[in-house]
Amino acid sequence: MTIVVILIPTVGKNGKYKVNHVNVNLLNDFVLTLFNILLLKILINVFKCSVTIQTMIGNRFRIALLQLNVGADRSKNVENAVSYINKAKSGGAQIVALSECFNSPYGTKFFNDYAENVPDGPSCQALSKAAKATNLYIIGGTIPERADGKLYNTCTIWNPQGQMIAKYRKMHLFDIDIPGRITFKESDSLSAGNELVMFNIGTVKFGIGICYDMRFEELAKLYRQQQCQVLVYPGAFNMTTGPMHWELLQRSRANDNQVFVCAISPARADRGYIAWGHSQVTDPWGKVLAKAGHEEEILYSDINVSECDDARQQIPIFAQRRVDIYNTVLNK
Ligand SMILES: NC(=O)CCC(=O)C(=O)O
């Protein structure tokens, strides 16, 4: 592991040395790591420096999926999320991700009452503060967003400085009817988003979808074509479609596109819309790396995105597509 350390020592007001910025970049060289740890120890102990360490995300990082109980009280939901973000920090996470509707019950009759402005509403502001306090990246699940007289199901993404770096609005609304089992019509109250959203954390490129979006392989493929390595889907499947399709769809998107897929559910509730739970991380080979139960928990996963390169080189499906044939058939 190589640690690249950038130190700017200055003398503080109390006459002690102070190190303003230390950027620690983890690569692969064990000896240099030891050397740099020694250097930091000398600075701290001999010169009595105070040190701020900022971890850069490289090919490897730890993500924590927060599968949380969600009730009717928005403030309590948000407080619970913040307390779990702090726990995930203690668990070594560098990125945390929340579920769909982490601040409100999931249901068309609730969206209007719980809707907020993005990024000025109280839930967003709490995420901004939490990101800054913990020095973490937060993929902020979703909240009902109010904008231009419309409602959206919106995911916000926050950097460790507390700034919103991206915002995605659910593109495919969850309108289904399985008679006697589940009928749901998000479009009764929500409007659909129209944009793909990608962002970089360090060297890693992420793409965002929300729940029902994972059924649409076109969206995942567009993200893969734009070089994304990790797709994150805050979600809330239910007790009918969850057992049938939740794992299958994530493994399919991961395997088809040779990407990591992270999907975050709320914990299973005992009334109203009952979420399936089972937040999951799947690798670019389609293997499930980590899977939660259905109760409140933090699901950690250590991701190494160089596995995407391995899968893509060894099974090069994106270079082997017979678009010449597909296009000919389509154009007939
Ligand atoms: N919140 C959603 O979009 C639910 C999607 C779902 O359950 C499905 O089966 O798809």
Side-chain angles (χ1 to χ4, degrees):
M1 308 276 276
T2 301
I3 295 187
V4 179
V5 187
I6 304 164
L7 300 172
I8 310 172
T10 54
V11 181
K13 278 190 192 131
N14 55 5
K16 286 181 180 171
Y17 283 92
K18 193 168 169 243
V19 177
N20 290 334
H21 294 287
V22 180
N23 287 328
V24 180
N25 191 11
L26 300 178
L27 303 169
N28 273 337
D29 187 329
F30 184 64
V31 179
L32 270 171
T33 301
L34 287 182
F35 172 78
N36 282 301
I37 288 172
L38 203 69
L39 184 70
L40 282 177
K41 280 197 166 224
I42 291 170
L43 280 164
I44 291 164
N45 292 323
V46 180
F47 297 103
K48 304 284 180 247
C49 288
S50 63
V51 175
T52 313
I53 295 185
Q54 188 185 326
T55 308
M56 306 279 285
I57 307 278
N59 272 357
R60 293 162 188 263
F61 61 90
R62 174 169 288 190
I63 191 164
L65 311 191
L66 308 187
Q67 179 171 293
L68 304 181
N69 290 326
V70 177
D73 186 329
R74 180 172 66 183
S75 307
K76 275 198 186 143
N77 295 334
V78 174
E79 270 167 36
N80 191 38
V82 170
S83 110
Y84 268 88
I85 290 167
N86 289 324
K87 284 185 200 163
K89 168 76 178 180
S90 310
Q94 291 152 295
I95 302 174
V96 297
L98 291 156
S99 73
E100 183 175 33
C101 284
F102 82 90
N103 71 342
S104 78
Y106 181 68
T108 46
K109 64 176 180 210
F110 300 113
F111 295 141
N112 186 43
D113 291 344
Y114 286 77
E116 300 178 16
N117 293 334
V118 171
D120 302 324
S123 303
C124 283
Q125 285 311 301
L127 293 184
S128 166
K129 227 168 126 188
K132 211 168 167 182
T134 53
N135 197 31
L136 291 176
Y137 286 91
I138 298 177
I139 300 171
T142 80
I143 62 167
E145 177 195 6
R146 188 187 313 283
D148 311 324
K150 292 181 186 167
L151 299 175
Y152 300 93
N153 190 345
T154 300
C155 176
T156 56
I157 296 99
W158 303 86
N159 71 13
Q161 288 73 48
Q163 295 153 337
M164 188 175 80
I165 55 172
K167 168 175 111 167
Y168 172 83
R169 290 172 171 163
K170 190 173 190 174
M171 193 183 280
H172 303 93
L173 296 181
F174 179 45
D175 288 358
I176 67 165
D177 181 19
I178 307 179
R181 301 187 72 188
I182 178 166
T183 301
F184 203 98
K185 206 154 179 253
E186 266 189 334
S187 63
D188 275 347
S189 52
L190 297 181
S191 300
N194 296 317
E195 280 172 25
L196 274 69
V197 170
M198 289 161 271
F199 57 93
N200 275 80
I201 296 183
T203 55
V204 183
K205 190 158 184 182
F206 290 76
I208 292 282
I210 298 172
C211 204
Y212 195 57
D213 282 334
M214 78 170 72
R215 291 189 178 271
F216 298 85
E217 53 100 11
E218 296 89 339
L219 178 63
K221 193 192 267 179
L222 284 169
Y223 281 137
R224 160 66 205 270
Q225 284 164 340
Q226 302 293 316
Q227 319 308 329
C228 289
Q229 295 142 309
V230 184
L231 304 188
V232 180
Y233 294 95
F237 269 45
N238 52 76
M239 301 301 286
T240 300
T241 59
M244 287 196 291
H245 296 149
W246 173 254
E247 177 177 326
L248 174 70
L249 287 166
Q250 290 167 51
R251 295 188 63 197
S252 306
R253 295 300 78 87
N255 180 56
D256 286 349
N257 298 293
Q258 302 166 309
V259 290
F260 284 88
V261 169
C262 302
I264 316 95
S265 171
R268 195 170 293 172
D270 53 9
R271 68 197 127 83
Y273 181 94
I274 303 180
W276 172 236
H278 299 296
S279 299
Q280 183 176 310
V281 178
T282 309
D283 78 9
W285 304 93
K287 182 174 143 207
V288 177
L289 282 188
K291 188 167 187 164
H294 60 75
E295 291 178 350
E296 193 164 66
E297 74 171 80
I298 302 182
L299 184 72
Y300 292 100
S301 186
D302 292 316
I303 287 184
N304 178 359
V305 287
S306 54
E307 281 181 41
C308 297
D309 299 335
D310 296 343
R312 293 170 190 190
Q313 273 155 26
Q314 291 165 31
I315 310 182
I317 45 177
F318 274 69
Q320 294 169 330
R321 292 206 133 74
R322 291 299 308 276
V323 276
D324 52 333
I325 305 292
Y326 313 152
N327 289 344
T328 311
V329 175
L330 271 175
N331 292 334
K332 263 191 187 159

